[in-house]
């Protein structure tokens, strides 16, 4: 490539040379020839340089090629050397190989001998193999026979298993049948129970029926008895009728009997009345006696009364004559008492009189009755006497005696008849009684039937009520009610509800306590905070009440305290400094400057004659100081005019004033 | 332990009923949310997946009550078991689960065991417990914190054991009542029902 580049350079150079060295243009001006000659020399120099460069370059190339050639030769030599070495190595290897070959050949021979031996052994073993194979065949045959036997045995096993399965199925079937039968059994037992219950009910019904039947038979018997009695009664009725006819024959005697009996009764009553009346009369007599006694007493009382009245009069006279006022009241009292007694006695006498009158009336009545009774008695006696006189005849006629006897017979008959009649009456009464009994029995039966119906109705009603109550009970039972007589409700003392309630209570109490504690805290904080705002430095003792102030609060408090302290110290320092400065100003300038109001400054000189001598300066809006009119400034009019108006210098004015005052002070 | 071959004795019946109560009460406590659901663990019984509490205090309380109940069932002196759910804020009874127990007193200790298969009894118990779970659909929500209590109605002449005391019936004012299925072991018959306070609606 370099060569090619060189060639291009060379070709360009050559072309450039050819261009330059072309038949030049008609020789131009000498002006340019010199120039072109320079150019040519320069070109020649450059060409020479180029050629030199070419030569150098080619030399370089030649050197390079030489070097390469040398290197190639070296490498050739090395390669050759190596090849020789390799050849020697390979020759050695060859020898080795040859040796090994020979060894191997020896080995091969040995192996061939061995192979022959082995072959022999092989043939022997083949023969043995054949024998063994024959044995094997024999054994295989026996094996096959045994396999056949096994097969048959397996078949038998399978058949047995099938049988077992069938048997198991049968067992299961039987089990199911058994269970079904047990279920049937249970059902049948239940049915049996039902039937037994029904049977019991039926037997009860039978018993009740039998009882009813027995009662029915009893009733039938009773009815039969009653019928028999009825028959008897009818017979008795017939007898009674016959008797009645007989009875009709003797009405008159009965009437007479009645009359006699009535009279007897009446007489007995009258006798009783007489006795009663006698008793009454005796009683009345006694009363009369008592009345007479009371009368005597009355008379006595009246006599006493008269005496007492006489006494009264005497006392009154005494009272009037003596004119003593000794116990007028007592006298009056005794008078009133006596009057009361009098009235009492009057009333008593009136009562007694009334009683006596009543008794007299009674007595008169009784006497009348007695008279009546005695008259009746006399009448009866007369009748009886008349009867007796009638019955006590001097001449008895046979007819009368006959009649008497007949009458007596008739009496006897009638008496016997009466007795019979009484017996009949008794029988009739008994019959009637029996009838009444029957009626009562019928009524009883009717009554009992009604009662049975009522009881049945009541039973139904009670049954309904019972059902309702049972339903209610069941509902209550469902709701949890219980009969305190029979049951009791228990639970464990430590049950979860009680525990939960206790825990809740404890929680509530703990919360309450915490609430009170927090409230106190809040109150203390509020009060502590309020006081802390008013006092800067002092620590409020209520701060100590706060139980656990947070760390932040403590830090902030500390910071606050420190800042306050700092402020305090700064203020003190400033105050001191200001004071120092003011005193220094006063000492040095001779004026004490005070700020009276905003922008107004009062100056007082050291040497002021009076305390009030001061100058007032005001700071204007543009910043300039102006002197205000004061009494002292009026005295300094000249200086004002000079220093302020003319010179416009306040310090000069002030110093002039100081000097002036100082001079005054010292001279004076 | 009773098996179908031997039949149900009085003791076996008491054990079965007490076991039912133990599981039933746990189910009710879980369903009604009286205790948080994470305190319950699943067990399998009666061919059902049931929940039992793991809270130790509650467990000990329930074992106390159920063991005492077993004794009373054996003596046939218990008439009812009631689970009362009370609202803690207002102290009023919100729900009342009542189990009436009818005991056949003719089955004494020495009498022959009764023929009833355990499978049937378990089937019946299963239906009751399924119903208890299903009550969630119609019972009103218990929004306030609640606590429960177990009351036992016994015969009056019973000796009150230690740690037990008398209590009121804790009934609900104007309740709504729902009857659930019942089951019987042929010696004890248990009727279940739930009464709850009507919610004010409309």
């Amino acid at each position: 490539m370099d060569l090619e580049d060189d060639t291009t350079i060379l070709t360009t150079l050559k072309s450039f040379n050819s261009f330059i060295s072309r038949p030049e243009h008609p020789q131009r001006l000498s002006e340019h020839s010199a120039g072109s000659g320079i150019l040519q020399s320069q070109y020649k120099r450059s060409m020479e340089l180029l050629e030199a460069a070419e030569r150098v370059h080619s030399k370089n190339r030649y050197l390079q090629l030489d070097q390469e050639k040398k290197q190639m030769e070296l490498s050739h030599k090395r390669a050759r050397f190596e090849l020789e070495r390799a050849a020697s190595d390979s020759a050695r290897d060859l020898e080795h190989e040859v040796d090994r070959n020979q060894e191997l050949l020896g080995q091969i021979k040995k192996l061939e001998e061995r192979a022959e031996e082995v072959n022999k052994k092989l043939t022997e073993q083949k023969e043995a193999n054949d024998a063994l194979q024959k044995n094997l065949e024999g054994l295989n045959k026996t094996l096959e026979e045994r396999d056949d036997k096994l097969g048959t045995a397996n078949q038998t096993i399978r058949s047995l298993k099938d049988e077992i399965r069938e048997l198991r199925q049968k067992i299961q079937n039987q089990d199911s049948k058994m269970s079904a039968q047990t279920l049937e059994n249970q059902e049948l037992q239940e049915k049996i129970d039902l039937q037994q219950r029904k049977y019991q009910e039926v037997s009860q019904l039978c018993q009740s029926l039998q009882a009813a039947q027995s009662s029915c038979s009893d009733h039938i018997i009773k009815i039969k008895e009653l019928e028999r009695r009825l028959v008897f009664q009818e017979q008795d009725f017939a007898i009674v009728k016959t008797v009645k006819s007989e009875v009709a024959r003797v009405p008159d005697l009965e009437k007479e009997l009645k009359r006699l009996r009535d009279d007897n009764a009446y007489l007995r009553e009258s006798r009783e009345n007489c006795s009663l009346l006698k008793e009454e009369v005796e009683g009345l007599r006694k009363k009369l006696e008592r009345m007479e006694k009371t009368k005597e007493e009355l008379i006595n009382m009246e006599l006493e009364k008269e005496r007492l009245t006489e006494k009264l009069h005497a006392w009154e006279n005494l009272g009037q004559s003596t004119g003593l006022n000794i116990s007028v009241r007592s006298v009056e009292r005794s008078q009133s008492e006596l009057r009361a007694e009098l009235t009492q006695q009057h009333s008593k006498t009136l009562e007694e009189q009334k009683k006596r009158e009543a008794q007299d009336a009674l007595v008169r009545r009784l006497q009348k009755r007695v008279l009546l009774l005695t008259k009746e008695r006399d009448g009866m006696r007369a009748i009886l006497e008349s009867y007796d006189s009638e019955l006590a005849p001097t001449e008895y006629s046979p007819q009368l005696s006959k009649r008497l006897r007949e009458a007596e017979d008739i009496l006897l008959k009638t008496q016997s008849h009466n007795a019979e009649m009484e017996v009949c009456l008794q029988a009739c009464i008994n019959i009637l009684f029996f009838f009444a009994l029957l009626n009562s029995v019928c009524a009883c039966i009717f009554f009992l039937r009604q009662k049975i119906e009522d009881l049945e109705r009541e039973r139904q009603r009670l049954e309904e009520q019972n059902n309702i109550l049972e339903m209610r009970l069941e509902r209550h039972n469902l709701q949890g009610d219980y009969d305190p007589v029979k049951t009791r409700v228990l639970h464990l003392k430590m049950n979860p509800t009680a525990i939960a309630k206790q825990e809740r209570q404890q929680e509530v109490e703990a919360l309450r306590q915490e609430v009170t504690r927090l409230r106190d805290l809040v109150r203390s904080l509020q009060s502590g905070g309020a006081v802390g705002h008013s006092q800067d430095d002092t620590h409020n003792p209520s701060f100590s009440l706060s139980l656990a102030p947070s760390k932040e609060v403590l830090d902030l408090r500390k910071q606050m305290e420190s800042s306050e302290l700092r402020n305090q110290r700064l203020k003190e320092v400033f105050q001191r400094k200001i004071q120092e400065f003011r005193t220094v100003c006063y000492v040095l300038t001779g004026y004490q400057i005070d700020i009276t109001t905003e922008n107004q400054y009062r100056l007082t000189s050291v040497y002021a004659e009076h305390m009030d001598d001061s100058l007032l300066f005001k700071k204007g809006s543009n910043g300039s100081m102006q002197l205000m009119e004061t009494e002292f400034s009026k005295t300094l009019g000249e200086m004002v005019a000079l220093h302020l108006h003319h010179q416009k210098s306040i310090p000069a004015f002030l110093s002039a004033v100081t000097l002036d005052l100082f001079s005054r002070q010292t001279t004076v | 332990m009773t098996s179908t071959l031997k039949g149900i004795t009085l003791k076996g019946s008491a054990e079965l009923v007490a076991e039912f109560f133990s599981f039933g009460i746990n189910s009710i406590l879980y369903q009604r949310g009286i205790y948080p659901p994470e305190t319950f663990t699943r067990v399998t019984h009666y061919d059902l997946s049931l929940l039992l509490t793991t809270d130790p205090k509650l467990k000990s309380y329930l074992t106390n009550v159920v063991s005492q109940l077993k004794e009373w069932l054996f003596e046939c002196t218990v008439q009812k078991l009631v689970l009362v759910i009370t609202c803690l804020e207002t102290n009023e009874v919100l729900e009342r689960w009542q189990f009436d127990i009818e005991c056949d007193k003719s089955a004494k200790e020495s009498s022959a065991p009764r023929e009833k298969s355990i499978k049937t009894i378990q089937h019946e118990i299963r239906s009751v417990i399924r119903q208890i779970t299903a009550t969630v659909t119609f019972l009103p929500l218990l929004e306030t914190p609640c606590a429960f209590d177990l009351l036992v109605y016994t015969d009056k002449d019973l000796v009150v054991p230690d740690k037990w005391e008398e209590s009121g019936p804790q009934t609900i004012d104007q309740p709504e009542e729902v009857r659930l299925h019942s089951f019987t072991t042929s010696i004890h018959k248990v009727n279940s029902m739930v009464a709850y306070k009507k919610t004010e609606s409309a």
Side-chain angles (χ1 to χ4, degrees):
Chain A
M1 295 298 272
D2 289 332
L3 280 166
E4 285 176 8
D5 288 335
D6 289 333
T7 49
T8 52
I9 291 164
L10 280 167
T11 48
T12 47
L13 278 166
K14 276 181 189 168
S15 65
F16 185 55
N17 276 334
S18 65
F19 173 66
I20 288 168
S21 61
R22 223 190 284 170
E24 288 166 347
H25 290 287
Q27 281 155 7
R28 287 266 172 110
L29 308 156
S30 59
E31 296 171 342
H32 293 294
S33 65
S36 64
I38 296 164
L39 275 171
Q40 258 191 344
S41 64
Q42 278 181 356
Y43 172 67
K44 275 179 189 170
R45 261 185 248 143
S46 65
M47 278 303 295
E48 283 166 7
L49 283 169
L50 272 167
E51 283 170 7
E54 271 182 46
R55 267 178 245 139
V56 165
H57 192 64
S58 60
K59 270 182 190 170
N60 275 335
R61 287 290 318 259
Y62 174 69
L63 285 168
Q64 274 179 9
L65 285 166
D66 269 336
Q67 275 184 356
E68 278 173 19
K69 196 178 98 183
K70 278 174 191 169
Q71 279 175 2
M72 291 275 285
E73 281 175 3
L74 272 169
S75 63
H76 272 304
K77 276 181 189 171
R78 271 190 219 132
R80 213 196 292 167
F81 187 64
E82 279 169 14
L83 279 167
E84 283 173 4
R85 217 193 286 164
S88 64
D89 287 335
S90 59
R92 244 184 275 148
D93 288 335
L94 231 183
E95 286 175 14
H96 281 304
E97 290 293 306
V98 164
D99 292 332
R100 225 190 274 163
N101 220 1
Q102 284 174 355
E103 284 174 18
L104 285 168
L105 279 167
Q107 279 181 4
I108 284 164
K109 280 177 194 168
K110 286 178 196 169
L111 286 167
E112 278 178 4
E113 286 164 17
R114 259 195 227 158
E116 283 172 12
E117 288 173 15
V118 162
N119 279 327
K120 282 177 201 168
K121 281 182 188 171
L122 250 178
T123 48
E124 286 168 14
Q125 282 200 345
K126 270 185 188 171
E127 288 161 15
N129 253 347
D130 291 329
L132 283 169
Q133 266 187 0
K134 283 174 194 166
N135 279 334
L136 258 175
E137 280 167 19
L139 286 166
N140 275 334
K141 281 176 195 167
T142 52
L143 261 173
E144 280 173 14
E145 287 166 17
R146 274 183 199 159
D147 280 335
D148 291 331
K149 281 181 193 170
L150 263 171
T152 52
N154 279 333
Q155 279 177 3
T156 50
I157 285 165
R158 263 179 243 141
S159 62
L160 284 167
K161 275 186 185 169
D162 290 333
E163 280 178 27
I164 286 165
R165 252 180 261 143
E166 282 169 22
L167 285 167
R168 274 195 193 141
Q169 278 178 359
K170 278 183 193 169
I171 287 165
Q172 278 178 0
N173 288 335
Q174 277 176 359
D175 279 336
S176 60
K177 279 181 194 169
M178 276 279 288
S179 59
Q181 274 173 4
T182 49
L183 280 168
E184 277 180 31
N185 243 357
Q186 281 178 357
E187 284 175 16
L188 287 167
Q189 272 185 358
E190 283 168 18
K191 279 184 189 170
I192 285 164
D193 291 330
L194 271 169
Q195 294 294 333
Q196 273 182 348
R197 270 178 241 144
K198 279 184 189 170
Y199 169 69
Q200 281 174 0
E201 286 168 17
V202 162
S203 62
Q204 281 173 2
L205 279 168
C206 278
Q207 282 175 1
S208 61
L209 264 173
Q210 278 176 4
Q213 269 181 4
S214 60
S215 62
C216 274
S217 57
D218 290 333
H219 284 305
I220 288 163
I221 289 162
K222 277 183 193 169
I223 287 164
K224 280 183 186 166
E225 271 188 35
L226 288 167
E227 279 175 5
R228 263 193 292 118
R229 278 181 197 161
L230 255 175
V231 164
F232 283 137
Q233 278 163 16
E234 280 169 12
Q235 288 172 2
D236 292 332
F237 259 130
I239 292 165
V240 161
K241 276 179 191 169
T242 54
V243 162
K244 262 189 187 175
S245 57
E246 284 179 14
V247 164
R249 276 186 226 156
V250 200
D252 296 326
L253 280 169
E254 283 183 2
K255 281 178 192 169
E256 268 197 49
L257 255 174
K258 268 187 193 172
R259 205 165 47 79
L260 284 167
R261 276 205 190 120
D262 289 334
D263 290 336
N264 269 336
Y266 187 61
L267 283 168
R268 277 188 209 128
E269 280 179 20
S270 60
R271 204 170 20 144
E272 285 175 13
N273 282 336
C274 276
S275 60
L276 280 168
L277 284 165
K278 277 179 192 168
E279 284 176 18
E280 277 189 42
V281 160
E282 282 180 24
L284 283 168
R285 274 191 201 136
K286 281 179 191 164
K287 270 188 186 172
L288 259 172
E289 288 171 12
R290 267 185 261 140
M291 287 302 297
E292 280 169 6
K293 278 181 198 165
T294 48
K295 232 187 180 177
E296 286 172 14
E297 280 174 15
L298 238 180
I299 293 159
N300 290 332
M301 296 293 282
E302 277 179 0
L303 285 167
E304 270 195 50
K305 185 185 110 185
E306 284 176 11
R307 264 195 293 120
L308 285 167
T309 45
E310 282 175 16
K311 267 189 190 173
L312 246 177
H313 285 304
W315 274 111
E316 278 174 0
N317 291 332
L318 257 177
Q320 283 176 358
S321 61
T322 54
L324 284 168
N325 289 330
I326 305 165
S327 65
V328 171
R329 274 186 202 155
S330 64
V331 166
E332 282 175 6
R333 244 186 280 145
S334 60
Q335 247 189 6
S336 62
E337 281 172 16
L338 284 168
R339 271 185 206 140
E341 272 191 48
L342 254 176
T343 50
Q344 272 181 17
Q345 296 296 335
H346 267 300
S347 61
K348 270 188 192 170
T349 50
L350 281 167
E351 280 175 25
E352 302 274 300
Q353 274 179 2
K354 277 181 196 164
K355 275 185 193 171
R356 205 176 33 143
E357 280 167 13
Q359 297 292 343
D360 287 336
L362 256 175
V363 161
R364 269 177 242 138
R365 261 191 269 141
L366 286 167
Q367 279 175 356
K368 279 182 196 168
R369 274 182 93 179
V370 163
L371 279 166
L372 276 168
L373 283 167
T374 48
K375 275 182 193 168
E376 275 190 43
R377 200 189 43 189
D378 294 335
M380 293 295 166
R381 268 192 196 153
I383 291 164
L384 280 167
E385 280 169 10
S386 69
Y387 275 137
D388 284 337
S389 64
E390 278 179 20
L391 287 171
T394 52
E395 44 190 11
Y396 271 114
S397 59
Q399 284 177 351
L400 280 167
S401 61
K402 266 189 207 170
R403 270 192 222 151
L404 239 183
R405 267 177 247 145
E406 280 173 13
E408 284 177 5
D409 291 332
I410 288 164
L411 238 183
L412 283 165
K413 272 188 197 170
T414 50
Q415 275 180 1
S416 64
H417 218 268
N418 262 339
E420 283 177 21
M421 286 306 299
E422 277 179 6
V423 166
C424 287
L425 256 173
Q426 275 287 318
C428 286
I429 285 161
N430 287 336
I431 288 158
L432 283 167
F433 187 61
F434 281 134
F435 261 123
L437 263 176
L438 244 184
N439 278 332
S440 66
V441 161
C442 291
C444 270
I445 287 168
F446 182 65
F447 179 65
L448 283 167
R449 274 198 201 127
Q450 281 212 331
K451 227 181 165 180
I452 284 165
E453 279 169 26
D454 291 334
L455 285 168
E456 271 280 336
R457 260 180 261 139
E458 218 178 295
R459 191 184 64 84
Q460 277 178 1
R461 197 177 53 82
L462 286 168
E463 249 190 68
E464 285 168 16
Q465 250 189 15
N466 203 14
N467 285 337
I468 290 163
L469 286 168
E470 266 175 17
M471 267 168 52
R472 233 185 262 170
L473 235 187
E474 216 199 287
R475 211 165 5 105
H476 281 293
N477 264 335
L478 272 177
Q479 286 181 358
D481 274 346
Y482 62 99
D483 177 12
V485 175
K486 290 183 206 153
T487 52
R488 185 190 270 191
V489 183
L490 296 174
H491 69 162
L492 270 176
K493 284 179 201 162
M494 295 309 294
N495 61 68
T497 311
I499 292 168
K501 278 185 191 166
Q502 262 182 19
E503 280 172 8
R504 227 190 149 76
Q505 267 282 344
Q506 285 169 0
E507 247 187 76
V508 163
E509 276 182 27
L511 283 167
R512 273 204 199 120
Q513 281 177 4
E514 221 183 293
V515 161
T516 49
R517 190 179 62 80
L518 286 167
R519 272 202 199 125
D520 291 332
L521 223 173
V522 163
R523 258 183 247 138
S524 69
L525 278 170
Q526 280 177 353
S527 60
V531 176
H533 281 304
S534 58
Q535 295 179 2
D536 291 325
D537 296 323
T538 56
H539 288 284
N540 200 305
S542 64
F543 269 131
S544 61
L545 288 173
S546 62
L547 296 163
S550 59
K551 273 184 190 172
E552 287 182 13
V553 171
L554 282 169
D555 291 334
L556 285 166
R557 272 190 204 149
K558 277 178 198 166
Q559 277 181 20
M560 214 176 69
E561 285 160 22
S562 61
S563 60
E564 275 176 15
L565 267 172
R566 230 184 294 143
N567 273 343
Q568 204 69 30
R569 270 185 220 131
L570 281 168
K571 274 184 196 166
E572 284 168 14
V573 163
F574 282 138
Q575 201 74 27
R576 247 186 300 128
K577 288 287 176 194
I578 287 166
Q579 202 66 34
E580 251 186 64
F581 188 68
R582 277 168 63 82
T583 47
V584 161
C585 276
Y586 185 54
V587 162
L588 289 174
T589 56
Y591 284 100
Q592 188 176 331
I593 307 173
D594 300 315
I595 306 173
T596 50
T597 54
E598 193 69 35
N599 294 336
Q600 275 193 9
Y601 303 91
R602 194 182 66 211
L603 278 82
T604 325
S605 177
V606 169
Y607 304 115
E609 286 165 356
H610 308 288
M611 285 290 289
D612 302 333
D613 291 345
S614 61
L615 296 163
L616 257 177
F617 283 92
K618 188 173 178 182
K619 193 167 184 183
S621 53
N622 52 1
S624 61
M625 297 293 269
Q626 291 169 354
L627 179 66
M628 310 292 284
E629 188 86 19
T630 59
E631 288 184 16
F632 183 58
S633 65
K634 285 176 196 169
T635 59
L636 308 165
E638 292 170 5
M639 275 186 262
V640 166
L642 176 62
H643 296 289
L644 288 176
H645 293 301
H646 197 66
Q647 288 175 353
K648 292 180 188 172
S649 166
I650 295 174
F653 167 67
L654 287 172
S655 42
V657 169
T658 315
L659 279 169
D660 180 49
L661 285 170
F662 179 67
S663 62
R664 270 195 226 159
Q665 284 259 314
T666 43
T667 48
V668 176
Chain B
M1 194 58 189
T2 55
S3 60
T4 47
L5 298 169
K6 288 187 189 169
I8 309 287
T9 59
L10 178 62
K11 191 168 178 206
S13 172
E15 276 185 26
L16 279 170
V17 175
E19 208 181 36
F20 160 72
F21 279 134
S22 166
F23 284 106
I25 289 164
N26 270 292
S27 296
I28 293 168
L29 290 176
Y30 173 76
Q31 294 293 337
R32 305 310 290 140
I34 310 291
Y35 288 88
E38 52 265 15
T39 61
F40 286 86
T41 167
R42 281 200 179 271
V43 299
T44 309
H45 206 83
Y46 306 126
D47 284 337
L48 278 178
S49 174
L50 298 169
L51 288 140
L52 280 186
T53 182
T54 52
D55 183 331
K57 279 190 197 169
L58 180 59
K59 254 187 175 172
S60 70
Y61 171 73
L62 284 177
T63 41
N64 276 342
V65 174
V66 167
S67 57
Q68 183 59 259
L69 200 62
K70 215 189 283 189
E71 262 182 54
W72 282 332
L73 281 165
F74 186 67
E75 294 163 14
C76 290
T77 49
V78 62
Q79 297 170 13
K80 285 195 230 272
L81 173 73
V82 179
L83 190 151
V84 177
I85 296 178
T86 329
C87 167
L88 283 174
E89 283 170 19
T90 59
N91 273 341
E92 55 177 2
V93 178
L94 296 179
E95 263 177 39
R96 211 166 177 279
W97 294 78
Q98 186 167 293
F99 301 93
D100 299 329
I101 301 164
E102 290 165 22
C103 184
D104 188 356
K105 304 224 171 160
S106 66
K108 297 291 174 189
E109 285 180 55
S110 51
S111 65
R114 308 253 174 122
E115 292 279 329
K116 180 146 188 186
S117 81
I118 282 204
K119 292 240 173 200
T120 327
I121 297 168
Q122 283 193 346
H123 183 74
E124 288 173 10
I125 290 176
R126 225 181 300 156
S127 67
V128 176
I129 290 188
R130 279 211 196 102
Q131 268 201 318
I132 289 172
T133 317
T135 56
V136 171
T137 51
F138 63 83
L139 286 176
L141 265 181
L142 300 173
E143 285 159 346
T144 56
C146 296
F148 81 101
D149 193 5
L150 289 169
L151 309 176
V152 184
Y153 285 52
T154 60
D155 291 343
K156 185 85 179 179
D157 51 1
L158 185 71
V159 171
V160 180
D162 202 23
K163 296 190 196 167
W164 287 76
E165 63 177 7
E166 274 210 52
S167 139
Q170 298 193 28
T171 49
I172 301 178
D173 191 30
Q174 289 182 334
E176 290 275 2
E177 289 151 20
V178 176
R179 265 204 175 277
L180 306 178
H181 285 154
S182 61
F183 76 93
T184 170
T185 64
S186 72
I187 296 177
H188 290 104
K189 181 164 188 222
V190 177
N191 298 316
S192 319
M193 57 154 285
V194 61
Y196 59 95
K197 190 168 160 155
K198 282 185 261 202
T199 48
E200 279 102 35
S201 55

